[in-house]
């Protein structure tokens, strides 16, 4: 059951990324280009996602178990804003701005056979590997 729920969730998320244009680096860079010809369409996608997710997250926080698989609910509890969080956010933003791809759309684009996505995903995995080598 878990695998089916995960698969259907992944397919739905992937379709949403494709339909919204989030897998198109040119569209993402157009959204991030506030000084040039700004494309506000992804802002509407983000507002829609936040409006949909916020009440669902609030509801999920009140639950002890997941709805479909009845596993223990595991949501992040930390509210600490520290150097690693800020540094990671900066690196993510820089990478997103340079490549026009973030992890979710990068994986979807890779599954679609995009060669730039392969380079992005390899760089992302390399960064994850290097991060694990850094002493905590």
């Amino acid at each position: 059951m878990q695998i089916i729920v995960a698969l259907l969730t992944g397919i739905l998320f992937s379709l949403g990324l494709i339909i919204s244009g989030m897998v198109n680096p040119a569209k993402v860079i157009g959204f991030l280009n506030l000084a040039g010809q700004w494309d506000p369409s992804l802002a509407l996608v983000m507002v829609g996602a936040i409006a949909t997710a916020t009440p669902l997250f609030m509801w999920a926080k009140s639950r002890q178990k997941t709805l479909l698989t009845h596993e223990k609910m595991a949501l992040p509890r930390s509210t600490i804003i520290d150097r690693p969080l800020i540094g990671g956010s900066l690196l993510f933003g820089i990478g997103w701005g340079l490549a026009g791809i973030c992890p979710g759309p990068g994986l979807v684009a890779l599954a679609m056979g995009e060669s730039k996505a392969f380079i992005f995903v390899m760089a992302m995995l390399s960064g994850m590997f290097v991060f694990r080598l850094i002493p905590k």
Side-chain angles (χ1 to χ4, degrees):
M1 175 71 164
Q2 268 183 309
I3 292 174
I4 293 170
V5 170
L7 177 66
L8 292 175
T9 303
I11 290 170
L12 181 62
F13 183 66
S14 298
L15 288 172
L17 291 173
I18 292 166
I19 292 167
S20 69
M22 290 288 291
V23 297
N24 180 354
K27 187 163 187 74
V28 173
I29 291 172
F31 167 69
L32 297 172
N33 185 5
L34 299 176
Q37 288 196 335
W38 183 56
D39 178 357
S41 61
L42 292 184
L44 298 174
V45 171
M46 289 182 185
V47 168
I50 291 168
T52 303
T54 299
L56 293 173
F57 271 108
M58 292 173 75
W59 177 66
K61 285 173 73 170
S62 70
R63 299 183 54 84
Q64 298 296 314
K65 294 185 176 192
T66 62
L67 183 62
L68 296 176
T69 61
H70 305 291
E71 296 174 68
K72 186 177 183 294
M73 184 64 76
L75 295 173
R77 302 249 183 249
S78 178
T79 57
I80 297 170
I81 298 174
D82 56 6
R83 280 174 123 191
L85 178 65
I86 292 170
S89 299
L90 286 171
L91 285 173
F92 176 86
I94 291 167
W96 192 36
L98 290 173
I101 306 173
C102 64
L107 294 173
V108 173
L110 179 66
M112 293 169 55
E114 296 287 333
S115 59
K116 289 181 183 178
F118 177 77
I119 295 166
F120 173 82
V121 170
M122 290 300 108
M124 179 179 71
L125 292 174
S126 298
M128 292 164 70
F129 175 75
V130 169
F131 176 78
R132 290 195 172 259
L133 297 177
I134 299 171
K136 311 285 182 286

PDB file of all heavy atoms in Angstrom, residues 31-63:
ATOM      1  N   PHE A  31      10.894  33.904 -14.133  1.00  0.00           N
ATOM      2  CA  PHE A  31      10.234  34.241 -12.868  1.00  0.00           C
ATOM      3  C   PHE A  31      11.210  34.924 -11.909  1.00  0.00           C
ATOM      4  O   PHE A  31      10.853  35.856 -11.194  1.00  0.00           O
ATOM      5  CB  PHE A  31       9.649  32.980 -12.235  1.00  0.00           C
ATOM      6  CG  PHE A  31       9.237  33.158 -10.810  1.00  0.00           C
ATOM      7  CD1 PHE A  31       8.143  33.951 -10.495  1.00  0.00           C
ATOM      8  CD2 PHE A  31       9.935  32.555  -9.788  1.00  0.00           C
ATOM      9  CE1 PHE A  31       7.755  34.120  -9.165  1.00  0.00           C
ATOM     10  CE2 PHE A  31       9.557  32.716  -8.468  1.00  0.00           C
ATOM     11  CZ  PHE A  31       8.465  33.501  -8.155  1.00  0.00           C
ATOM     12  N   LEU A  32      12.447  34.454 -11.893  1.00  0.00           N
ATOM     13  CA  LEU A  32      13.448  35.012 -10.976  1.00  0.00           C
ATOM     14  C   LEU A  32      14.039  36.329 -11.468  1.00  0.00           C
ATOM     15  O   LEU A  32      14.694  37.031 -10.707  1.00  0.00           O
ATOM     16  CB  LEU A  32      14.573  33.988 -10.762  1.00  0.00           C
ATOM     17  CG  LEU A  32      14.157  32.675 -10.086  1.00  0.00           C
ATOM     18  CD1 LEU A  32      15.298  31.687 -10.099  1.00  0.00           C
ATOM     19  CD2 LEU A  32      13.654  32.922  -8.674  1.00  0.00           C
ATOM     20  N   ASN A  33      13.817  36.680 -12.726  1.00  0.00           N
ATOM     21  CA  ASN A  33      14.388  37.886 -13.326  1.00  0.00           C
ATOM     22  C   ASN A  33      13.507  39.097 -13.028  1.00  0.00           C
ATOM     23  O   ASN A  33      12.744  39.556 -13.873  1.00  0.00           O
ATOM     24  CB  ASN A  33      14.553  37.689 -14.834  1.00  0.00           C
ATOM     25  CG  ASN A  33      15.255  38.846 -15.499  1.00  0.00           C
ATOM     26  OD1 ASN A  33      15.719  39.769 -14.836  1.00  0.00           O
ATOM     27  ND2 ASN A  33      15.323  38.806 -16.814  1.00  0.00           N
ATOM     28  N   LEU A  34      13.643  39.635 -11.831  1.00  0.00           N
ATOM     29  CA  LEU A  34      12.817  40.773 -11.425  1.00  0.00           C
ATOM     30  C   LEU A  34      13.216  42.063 -12.134  1.00  0.00           C
ATOM     31  O   LEU A  34      12.407  42.972 -12.282  1.00  0.00           O
ATOM     32  CB  LEU A  34      12.898  40.966  -9.908  1.00  0.00           C
ATOM     33  CG  LEU A  34      12.393  39.788  -9.070  1.00  0.00           C
ATOM     34  CD1 LEU A  34      12.606  40.058  -7.595  1.00  0.00           C
ATOM     35  CD2 LEU A  34      10.942  39.488  -9.355  1.00  0.00           C
ATOM     36  N   ALA A  35      14.477  42.171 -12.548  1.00  0.00           N
ATOM     37  CA  ALA A  35      14.957  43.399 -13.181  1.00  0.00           C
ATOM     38  C   ALA A  35      14.684  43.433 -14.684  1.00  0.00           C
ATOM     39  O   ALA A  35      14.741  44.494 -15.297  1.00  0.00           O
ATOM     40  CB  ALA A  35      16.458  43.558 -12.936  1.00  0.00           C
ATOM     41  N   GLY A  36      14.402  42.284 -15.289  1.00  0.00           N
ATOM     42  CA  GLY A  36      14.169  42.219 -16.735  1.00  0.00           C
ATOM     43  C   GLY A  36      12.700  41.991 -17.039  1.00  0.00           C
ATOM     44  O   GLY A  36      11.825  42.609 -16.439  1.00  0.00           O
ATOM     45  N   GLN A  37      12.439  41.078 -17.957  1.00  0.00           N
ATOM     46  CA  GLN A  37      11.056  40.747 -18.303  1.00  0.00           C
ATOM     47  C   GLN A  37      10.564  39.660 -17.350  1.00  0.00           C
ATOM     48  O   GLN A  37      10.708  38.461 -17.608  1.00  0.00           O
ATOM     49  CB  GLN A  37      10.972  40.287 -19.748  1.00  0.00           C
ATOM     50  CG  GLN A  37      11.166  41.414 -20.722  1.00  0.00           C
ATOM     51  CD  GLN A  37      10.704  41.026 -22.109  1.00  0.00           C
ATOM     52  OE1 GLN A  37      10.670  39.855 -22.471  1.00  0.00           O
ATOM     53  NE2 GLN A  37      10.343  42.017 -22.895  1.00  0.00           N
ATOM     54  N   TRP A  38       9.980  40.097 -16.238  1.00  0.00           N
ATOM     55  CA  TRP A  38       9.532  39.191 -15.195  1.00  0.00           C
ATOM     56  C   TRP A  38       8.305  38.412 -15.642  1.00  0.00           C
ATOM     57  O   TRP A  38       7.356  38.968 -16.193  1.00  0.00           O
ATOM     58  CB  TRP A  38       9.223  39.974 -13.924  1.00  0.00           C
ATOM     59  CG  TRP A  38       8.819  39.123 -12.776  1.00  0.00           C
ATOM     60  CD1 TRP A  38       9.520  38.092 -12.245  1.00  0.00           C
ATOM     61  CD2 TRP A  38       7.631  39.226 -12.005  1.00  0.00           C
ATOM     62  NE1 TRP A  38       8.848  37.547 -11.186  1.00  0.00           N
ATOM     63  CE2 TRP A  38       7.675  38.223 -11.018  1.00  0.00           C
ATOM     64  CE3 TRP A  38       6.527  40.072 -12.054  1.00  0.00           C
ATOM     65  CZ2 TRP A  38       6.678  38.043 -10.078  1.00  0.00           C
ATOM     66  CZ3 TRP A  38       5.534  39.886 -11.116  1.00  0.00           C
ATOM     67  CH2 TRP A  38       5.607  38.888 -10.140  1.00  0.00           C
ATOM     68  N   ASP A  39       8.326  37.095 -15.404  1.00  0.00           N
ATOM     69  CA  ASP A  39       7.195  36.222 -15.708  1.00  0.00           C
ATOM     70  C   ASP A  39       6.526  35.849 -14.383  1.00  0.00           C
ATOM     71  O   ASP A  39       7.039  35.007 -13.653  1.00  0.00           O
ATOM     72  CB  ASP A  39       7.688  34.959 -16.432  1.00  0.00           C
ATOM     73  CG  ASP A  39       6.575  33.980 -16.741  1.00  0.00           C
ATOM     74  OD1 ASP A  39       5.414  34.226 -16.367  1.00  0.00           O
ATOM     75  OD2 ASP A  39       6.875  32.946 -17.367  1.00  0.00           O
ATOM     76  N   PRO A  40       5.397  36.466 -14.031  1.00  0.00           N
ATOM     77  CA  PRO A  40       4.776  36.231 -12.727  1.00  0.00           C
ATOM     78  C   PRO A  40       3.976  34.931 -12.620  1.00  0.00           C
ATOM     79  O   PRO A  40       3.450  34.621 -11.560  1.00  0.00           O
ATOM     80  CB  PRO A  40       3.850  37.440 -12.568  1.00  0.00           C
ATOM     81  CG  PRO A  40       3.456  37.770 -13.964  1.00  0.00           C
ATOM     82  CD  PRO A  40       4.680  37.473 -14.807  1.00  0.00           C
ATOM     83  N   SER A  41       3.896  34.146 -13.679  1.00  0.00           N
ATOM     84  CA  SER A  41       3.012  32.973 -13.662  1.00  0.00           C
ATOM     85  C   SER A  41       3.387  31.961 -12.584  1.00  0.00           C
ATOM     86  O   SER A  41       2.508  31.335 -11.995  1.00  0.00           O
ATOM     87  CB  SER A  41       2.972  32.310 -15.035  1.00  0.00           C
ATOM     88  OG  SER A  41       4.252  31.865 -15.413  1.00  0.00           O
ATOM     89  N   LEU A  42       4.673  31.799 -12.295  1.00  0.00           N
ATOM     90  CA  LEU A  42       5.054  30.839 -11.255  1.00  0.00           C
ATOM     91  C   LEU A  42       4.713  31.346  -9.859  1.00  0.00           C
ATOM     92  O   LEU A  42       4.540  30.546  -8.938  1.00  0.00           O
ATOM     93  CB  LEU A  42       6.535  30.485 -11.357  1.00  0.00           C
ATOM     94  CG  LEU A  42       6.919  29.691 -12.608  1.00  0.00           C
ATOM     95  CD1 LEU A  42       8.394  29.304 -12.563  1.00  0.00           C
ATOM     96  CD2 LEU A  42       6.058  28.456 -12.781  1.00  0.00           C
ATOM     97  N   ALA A  43       4.590  32.668  -9.705  1.00  0.00           N
ATOM     98  CA  ALA A  43       4.145  33.210  -8.422  1.00  0.00           C
ATOM     99  C   ALA A  43       2.722  32.727  -8.135  1.00  0.00           C
ATOM    100  O   ALA A  43       2.392  32.386  -7.000  1.00  0.00           O
ATOM    101  CB  ALA A  43       4.210  34.734  -8.423  1.00  0.00           C
ATOM    102  N   LEU A  44       1.900  32.680  -9.173  1.00  0.00           N
ATOM    103  CA  LEU A  44       0.527  32.175  -9.009  1.00  0.00           C
ATOM    104  C   LEU A  44       0.532  30.692  -8.651  1.00  0.00           C
ATOM    105  O   LEU A  44      -0.280  30.248  -7.837  1.00  0.00           O
ATOM    106  CB  LEU A  44      -0.283  32.427 -10.276  1.00  0.00           C
ATOM    107  CG  LEU A  44      -0.466  33.896 -10.659  1.00  0.00           C
ATOM    108  CD1 LEU A  44      -1.149  34.012 -12.012  1.00  0.00           C
ATOM    109  CD2 LEU A  44      -1.237  34.636  -9.581  1.00  0.00           C
ATOM    110  N   VAL A  45       1.457  29.937  -9.243  1.00  0.00           N
ATOM    111  CA  VAL A  45       1.592  28.520  -8.907  1.00  0.00           C
ATOM    112  C   VAL A  45       1.971  28.374  -7.435  1.00  0.00           C
ATOM    113  O   VAL A  45       1.401  27.560  -6.705  1.00  0.00           O
ATOM    114  CB  VAL A  45       2.649  27.833  -9.812  1.00  0.00           C
ATOM    115  CG1 VAL A  45       2.953  26.429  -9.340  1.00  0.00           C
ATOM    116  CG2 VAL A  45       2.179  27.822 -11.259  1.00  0.00           C
ATOM    117  N   MET A  46       2.925  29.192  -6.989  1.00  0.00           N
ATOM    118  CA  MET A  46       3.368  29.118  -5.593  1.00  0.00           C
ATOM    119  C   MET A  46       2.262  29.521  -4.624  1.00  0.00           C
ATOM    120  O   MET A  46       2.064  28.877  -3.595  1.00  0.00           O
ATOM    121  CB  MET A  46       4.602  29.988  -5.381  1.00  0.00           C
ATOM    122  CG  MET A  46       5.831  29.431  -6.025  1.00  0.00           C
ATOM    123  SD  MET A  46       7.219  30.504  -5.660  1.00  0.00           S
ATOM    124  CE  MET A  46       8.482  29.721  -6.626  1.00  0.00           C
ATOM    125  N   VAL A  47       1.525  30.583  -4.943  1.00  0.00           N
ATOM    126  CA  VAL A  47       0.416  31.013  -4.092  1.00  0.00           C
ATOM    127  C   VAL A  47      -0.632  29.899  -4.007  1.00  0.00           C
ATOM    128  O   VAL A  47      -1.141  29.591  -2.926  1.00  0.00           O
ATOM    129  CB  VAL A  47      -0.207  32.334  -4.608  1.00  0.00           C
ATOM    130  CG1 VAL A  47      -1.535  32.637  -3.924  1.00  0.00           C
ATOM    131  CG2 VAL A  47       0.769  33.478  -4.406  1.00  0.00           C
ATOM    132  N   GLY A  48      -0.935  29.279  -5.138  1.00  0.00           N
ATOM    133  CA  GLY A  48      -1.887  28.170  -5.139  1.00  0.00           C
ATOM    134  C   GLY A  48      -1.402  26.993  -4.308  1.00  0.00           C
ATOM    135  O   GLY A  48      -2.173  26.375  -3.565  1.00  0.00           O
ATOM    136  N   ALA A  49      -0.113  26.696  -4.407  1.00  0.00           N
ATOM    137  CA  ALA A  49       0.453  25.584  -3.637  1.00  0.00           C
ATOM    138  C   ALA A  49       0.414  25.885  -2.137  1.00  0.00           C
ATOM    139  O   ALA A  49       0.054  25.022  -1.329  1.00  0.00           O
ATOM    140  CB  ALA A  49       1.883  25.318  -4.086  1.00  0.00           C
ATOM    141  N   ILE A  50       0.757  27.110  -1.768  1.00  0.00           N
ATOM    142  CA  ILE A  50       0.742  27.493  -0.350  1.00  0.00           C
ATOM    143  C   ILE A  50      -0.684  27.477   0.190  1.00  0.00           C
ATOM    144  O   ILE A  50      -0.938  26.972   1.289  1.00  0.00           O
ATOM    145  CB  ILE A  50       1.408  28.873  -0.160  1.00  0.00           C
ATOM    146  CG1 ILE A  50       2.913  28.766  -0.430  1.00  0.00           C
ATOM    147  CG2 ILE A  50       1.144  29.418   1.243  1.00  0.00           C
ATOM    148  CD1 ILE A  50       3.627  30.088  -0.564  1.00  0.00           C
ATOM    149  N   ALA A  51      -1.622  28.006  -0.594  1.00  0.00           N
ATOM    150  CA  ALA A  51      -3.025  28.037  -0.164  1.00  0.00           C
ATOM    151  C   ALA A  51      -3.594  26.632   0.007  1.00  0.00           C
ATOM    152  O   ALA A  51      -4.415  26.385   0.888  1.00  0.00           O
ATOM    153  CB  ALA A  51      -3.862  28.831  -1.166  1.00  0.00           C
ATOM    154  N   THR A  52      -3.139  25.712  -0.827  1.00  0.00           N
ATOM    155  CA  THR A  52      -3.613  24.332  -0.727  1.00  0.00           C
ATOM    156  C   THR A  52      -2.936  23.599   0.420  1.00  0.00           C
ATOM    157  O   THR A  52      -3.578  22.876   1.185  1.00  0.00           O
ATOM    158  CB  THR A  52      -3.334  23.579  -2.047  1.00  0.00           C
ATOM    159  OG1 THR A  52      -3.962  24.286  -3.113  1.00  0.00           O
ATOM    160  CG2 THR A  52      -3.842  22.158  -1.994  1.00  0.00           C
ATOM    161  N   ALA A  53      -1.622  23.784   0.553  1.00  0.00           N
ATOM    162  CA  ALA A  53      -0.852  23.005   1.519  1.00  0.00           C
ATOM    163  C   ALA A  53      -1.026  23.474   2.962  1.00  0.00           C
ATOM    164  O   ALA A  53      -1.024  22.645   3.880  1.00  0.00           O
ATOM    165  CB  ALA A  53       0.630  23.045   1.154  1.00  0.00           C
ATOM    166  N   THR A  54      -1.182  24.771   3.185  1.00  0.00           N
ATOM    167  CA  THR A  54      -1.230  25.289   4.557  1.00  0.00           C
ATOM    168  C   THR A  54      -2.334  24.655   5.400  1.00  0.00           C
ATOM    169  O   THR A  54      -2.041  24.131   6.480  1.00  0.00           O
ATOM    170  CB  THR A  54      -1.345  26.829   4.554  1.00  0.00           C
ATOM    171  OG1 THR A  54      -0.189  27.358   3.906  1.00  0.00           O
ATOM    172  CG2 THR A  54      -1.455  27.379   5.969  1.00  0.00           C
ATOM    173  N   PRO A  55      -3.594  24.633   4.956  1.00  0.00           N
ATOM    174  CA  PRO A  55      -4.608  23.990   5.803  1.00  0.00           C
ATOM    175  C   PRO A  55      -4.364  22.484   5.971  1.00  0.00           C
ATOM    176  O   PRO A  55      -4.640  21.930   7.036  1.00  0.00           O
ATOM    177  CB  PRO A  55      -5.931  24.255   5.085  1.00  0.00           C
ATOM    178  CG  PRO A  55      -5.619  24.897   3.793  1.00  0.00           C
ATOM    179  CD  PRO A  55      -4.185  25.268   3.785  1.00  0.00           C
ATOM    180  N   LEU A  56      -3.815  21.853   4.936  1.00  0.00           N
ATOM    181  CA  LEU A  56      -3.543  20.420   5.047  1.00  0.00           C
ATOM    182  C   LEU A  56      -2.416  20.141   6.045  1.00  0.00           C
ATOM    183  O   LEU A  56      -2.476  19.173   6.809  1.00  0.00           O
ATOM    184  CB  LEU A  56      -3.215  19.829   3.673  1.00  0.00           C
ATOM    185  CG  LEU A  56      -4.390  19.820   2.689  1.00  0.00           C
ATOM    186  CD1 LEU A  56      -3.931  19.389   1.299  1.00  0.00           C
ATOM    187  CD2 LEU A  56      -5.504  18.930   3.193  1.00  0.00           C
ATOM    188  N   PHE A  57      -1.376  20.986   6.056  1.00  0.00           N
ATOM    189  CA  PHE A  57      -0.307  20.818   7.045  1.00  0.00           C
ATOM    190  C   PHE A  57      -0.829  21.083   8.455  1.00  0.00           C
ATOM    191  O   PHE A  57      -0.453  20.393   9.407  1.00  0.00           O
ATOM    192  CB  PHE A  57       0.883  21.733   6.742  1.00  0.00           C
ATOM    193  CG  PHE A  57       1.901  21.107   5.839  1.00  0.00           C
ATOM    194  CD1 PHE A  57       2.041  21.532   4.535  1.00  0.00           C
ATOM    195  CD2 PHE A  57       2.711  20.076   6.284  1.00  0.00           C
ATOM    196  CE1 PHE A  57       2.968  20.951   3.691  1.00  0.00           C
ATOM    197  CE2 PHE A  57       3.650  19.487   5.461  1.00  0.00           C
ATOM    198  CZ  PHE A  57       3.787  19.927   4.154  1.00  0.00           C
ATOM    199  N   MET A  58      -1.679  22.081   8.596  1.00  0.00           N
ATOM    200  CA  MET A  58      -2.250  22.365   9.916  1.00  0.00           C
ATOM    201  C   MET A  58      -3.079  21.175  10.405  1.00  0.00           C
ATOM    202  O   MET A  58      -3.016  20.797  11.577  1.00  0.00           O
ATOM    203  CB  MET A  58      -3.084  23.641   9.859  1.00  0.00           C
ATOM    204  CG  MET A  58      -2.235  24.877   9.624  1.00  0.00           C
ATOM    205  SD  MET A  58      -3.207  26.367   9.365  1.00  0.00           S
ATOM    206  CE  MET A  58      -3.737  26.692  11.028  1.00  0.00           C
ATOM    207  N   TRP A  59      -3.818  20.585   9.509  1.00  0.00           N
ATOM    208  CA  TRP A  59      -4.610  19.404   9.855  1.00  0.00           C
ATOM    209  C   TRP A  59      -3.691  18.232  10.184  1.00  0.00           C
ATOM    210  O   TRP A  59      -3.903  17.510  11.146  1.00  0.00           O
ATOM    211  CB  TRP A  59      -5.540  19.069   8.694  1.00  0.00           C
ATOM    212  CG  TRP A  59      -6.360  17.829   8.901  1.00  0.00           C
ATOM    213  CD1 TRP A  59      -7.342  17.648   9.831  1.00  0.00           C
ATOM    214  CD2 TRP A  59      -6.262  16.610   8.168  1.00  0.00           C
ATOM    215  NE1 TRP A  59      -7.865  16.373   9.708  1.00  0.00           N
ATOM    216  CE2 TRP A  59      -7.213  15.722   8.701  1.00  0.00           C
ATOM    217  CE3 TRP A  59      -5.464  16.192   7.123  1.00  0.00           C
ATOM    218  CZ2 TRP A  59      -7.386  14.443   8.216  1.00  0.00           C
ATOM    219  CZ3 TRP A  59      -5.644  14.913   6.630  1.00  0.00           C
ATOM    220  CH2 TRP A  59      -6.588  14.045   7.177  1.00  0.00           C
ATOM    221  N   ALA A  60      -2.630  18.041   9.380  1.00  0.00           N
ATOM    222  CA  ALA A  60      -1.702  16.930   9.596  1.00  0.00           C
ATOM    223  C   ALA A  60      -1.008  17.052  10.946  1.00  0.00           C
ATOM    224  O   ALA A  60      -0.752  16.041  11.612  1.00  0.00           O
ATOM    225  CB  ALA A  60      -0.675  16.876   8.467  1.00  0.00           C
ATOM    226  N   LYS A  61      -0.687  18.273  11.368  1.00  0.00           N
ATOM    227  CA  LYS A  61      -0.010  18.469  12.654  1.00  0.00           C
ATOM    228  C   LYS A  61      -0.858  17.971  13.823  1.00  0.00           C
ATOM    229  O   LYS A  61      -0.318  17.597  14.860  1.00  0.00           O
ATOM    230  CB  LYS A  61       0.332  19.945  12.855  1.00  0.00           C
ATOM    231  CG  LYS A  61       1.504  20.397  12.027  1.00  0.00           C
ATOM    232  CD  LYS A  61       1.724  21.881  12.103  1.00  0.00           C
ATOM    233  CE  LYS A  61       2.289  22.309  13.424  1.00  0.00           C
ATOM    234  NZ  LYS A  61       2.722  23.712  13.426  1.00  0.00           N
ATOM    235  N   SER A  62      -2.168  17.935  13.656  1.00  0.00           N
ATOM    236  CA  SER A  62      -3.046  17.498  14.740  1.00  0.00           C
ATOM    237  C   SER A  62      -3.219  15.980  14.787  1.00  0.00           C
ATOM    238  O   SER A  62      -3.814  15.459  15.717  1.00  0.00           O
ATOM    239  CB  SER A  62      -4.415  18.170  14.604  1.00  0.00           C
ATOM    240  OG  SER A  62      -5.101  17.642  13.472  1.00  0.00           O
ATOM    241  N   ARG A  63      -2.687  15.287  13.796  1.00  0.00           N
ATOM    242  CA  ARG A  63      -2.868  13.835  13.705  1.00  0.00           C
ATOM    243  C   ARG A  63      -1.678  13.084  14.296  1.00  0.00           C
ATOM    244  O   ARG A  63      -0.557  13.562  14.275  1.00  0.00           O
ATOM    245  CB  ARG A  63      -3.066  13.409  12.254  1.00  0.00           C
ATOM    246  CG  ARG A  63      -4.304  14.024  11.612  1.00  0.00           C
ATOM    247  CD  ARG A  63      -4.511  13.533  10.207  1.00  0.00           C
ATOM    248  NE  ARG A  63      -4.544  12.086  10.120  1.00  0.00           N
ATOM    249  CZ  ARG A  63      -5.597  11.318  10.342  1.00  0.00           C
ATOM    250  NH1 ARG A  63      -6.732  11.866  10.679  1.00  0.00           N
ATOM    251  NH2 ARG A  63      -5.532  10.012  10.219  1.00  0.00           N
TER     252      ARG A  63
END
